[in-house]
């Protein structure tokens, strides 16, 4: 064969010939320690409740949550991110059950820490949306708008009670300006200097959150476009990143993951702190729904989606498949 350029001497296909060869030259590998399991714990139930929009995911009881945490440890999962689902009648405009030491989220944090100790990084969603009767991530002003600075006062209190309950890491997800700095100060003031902050630095106003609303029993009225990021913007993410790092974020997150891999790559290239990405409910449910209909290979699609997130630069991935995938790995 006549030689044109580097072909036929250069044949990239040589490195794809067998599974062993492909495994040896793989540039990115998933590991159980990359994975964090988001989990929902619901008050007032006696058995786990299936989430219709998220096949295979449940709202846990306190007991089933402890078992899920143990299963995650045994599979090698790195962490668990807890979301509390209170009884509807306990919700109010200020989300006070979210800062009640005996609220469902704080109780669950104590349960999980007592069950697994330091064998699993116990993380806590730090936001008011699950606990407010209007479903927004903060308190509202007289005109019904989310009041940024009044909300920060609530976040400070929330950080302290979550840390007291045993959270290794708090994850402020409300997208309030200044939230990381206020939370850092609040934690340090009460002796929780060792509690880390995983900042939801880049959180878009996304249509893919839909199934999550069912998972947390959301009472949302309206939308969150005035405080979550516009999907059209990418440079804005780097501004948010710089501010969170300046305020003391220990780790940063991009959410959602799949639709924003370009943003994830920009963030990962820009920082020296660990970067997380959250494969959210809509991403999960799309794969499960398509697989149920026989349109895609479920296991391959799961692994491909997670590998893409890893390849884009995530050190940690929050995914509802965390324990299942960790066992396979």
């Amino acid at each position: 064969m006549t030689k044109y350029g580097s072909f036929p001497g250069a044949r990239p296909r040589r490195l794809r010939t067998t599974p062993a060869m492909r495994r040896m030259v793989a540039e990115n590998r998933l590991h159980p320690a990359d994975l964090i399991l988001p989990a929902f714990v619901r008050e007032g139930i006696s058995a786990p409740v299936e989430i219709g929009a998220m096949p295979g995911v449940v709202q846990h009881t306190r007991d089933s949550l402890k078992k899920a945490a143990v299963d995650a440890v045994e599979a090698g999962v790195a962490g668990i991110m807890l979301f509390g689902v209170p009884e509807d009648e306990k919700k109010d405009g200020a989300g006070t059950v979210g800062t009640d030491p005996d609220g469902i989220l704080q109780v669950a944090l104590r349960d999980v820490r007592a069950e697994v100790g330091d064998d699993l990084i116990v993380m806590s969603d730090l936001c008011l949306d699950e606990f407010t009767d209007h479903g927004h991530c903060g308190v509202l002003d007289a005109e019904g708008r989310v009041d940024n600075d009044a909300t920060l006062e609530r976040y400070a209190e929330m950080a302290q009670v979550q840390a007291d309950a045993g959270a290794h890491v708090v994850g402020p997800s409300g997208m309030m300006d200044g939230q990381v700095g206020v939370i850092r100060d609040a934690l340090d003031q009460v002796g929780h200097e060792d509690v880390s902050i995983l900042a939801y630095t880049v959180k878009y106003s996304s249509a893919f959150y839909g199934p999550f609303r069912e998972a947390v029993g959301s009472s949302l009225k309206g939308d969150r476009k005035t405080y979550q990021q516009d999907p059209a913007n990418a440079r804005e993410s780097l501004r948010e990143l710089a501010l969170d790092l300046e305020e003391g974020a220990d780790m940063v997150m991009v959410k959602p993951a799949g639709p924003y891999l370009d943003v994830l790559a920009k963030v990962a290239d820009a920082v020296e702190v660990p970067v997380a990405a959250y494969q959210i409910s809509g991403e999960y449910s799309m794969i499960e729904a398509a697989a149920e209909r026989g349109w895609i290979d479920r296991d391959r699609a799961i692994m491909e989606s997670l590998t893409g997130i890893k390849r884009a630069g995530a050190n940690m991935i929050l995914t509802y498949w965390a324990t299942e995938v960790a066992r396979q790995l």
Side-chain angles (χ1 to χ4, degrees), residues 62-233:
R62 290 173 59 185
D63 285 340
S64 70
L65 177 65
K66 289 188 287 187
K67 182 181 185 304
V70 171
D71 290 345
V73 171
E74 292 174 349
V77 170
I80 188 168
M81 175 68 80
L82 301 185
F83 297 85
V85 185
E87 295 173 318
D88 283 343
E89 58 269 24
K90 293 185 178 179
K91 296 181 181 182
D92 60 23
T96 52
V97 70
T99 51
D100 180 349
D102 294 320
I104 182 60
L105 183 52
Q106 283 69 251
V107 169
L109 285 166
R110 291 195 292 270
D111 285 345
V112 173
R113 276 302 301 273
E115 191 74 20
V116 300
D118 293 332
D119 292 338
L120 188 69
I121 300 302
V122 179
M123 304 179 170
S124 186
D125 179 61
L126 200 165
C127 195
L128 290 171
D129 60 318
E130 296 102 309
F131 308 107
T132 55
D133 54 12
H134 47 72
H136 280 285
C137 297
V139 296
L140 305 183
D141 64 18
E143 298 182 17
R145 300 171 301 188
V146 175
D147 187 326
N148 191 97
D149 295 7
T151 298
L152 294 182
E153 296 178 16
R154 301 287 295 122
Y155 285 3
E157 184 180 356
M158 201 171 199
Q160 291 172 344
V161 298
Q162 290 182 356
D164 287 344
H168 294 104
V169 178
V170 295
S173 60
M175 291 298 287
M176 297 297 119
D177 294 337
Q179 63 184 13
V180 172
V182 167
I183 290 167
R184 182 73 271 157
D185 287 345
L187 291 169
D188 293 351
Q189 286 170 13
V190 293
H192 286 302
E193 295 90 349
D194 289 341
V195 173
S196 301
I197 298 175
L198 170 56
Y200 282 60
T201 294
V202 182
K203 185 177 180 182
Y204 283 94
S205 180
S206 172
F208 292 95
Y209 296 134
F212 181 89
R213 303 280 203 275
E214 178 186 346
V216 297
S218 176
S219 303
L220 181 63
K221 301 175 177 67
D223 58 50
R224 299 179 174 134
K225 293 181 180 179
T226 61
Y227 47 101
Q228 294 179 349
Q229 279 189 230
D230 185 339
N233 294 348

Side-chain angles (χ1 to χ4, degrees), residues 128 231 250 260:
L128 290 171
D250 299 290
Y260 298 96

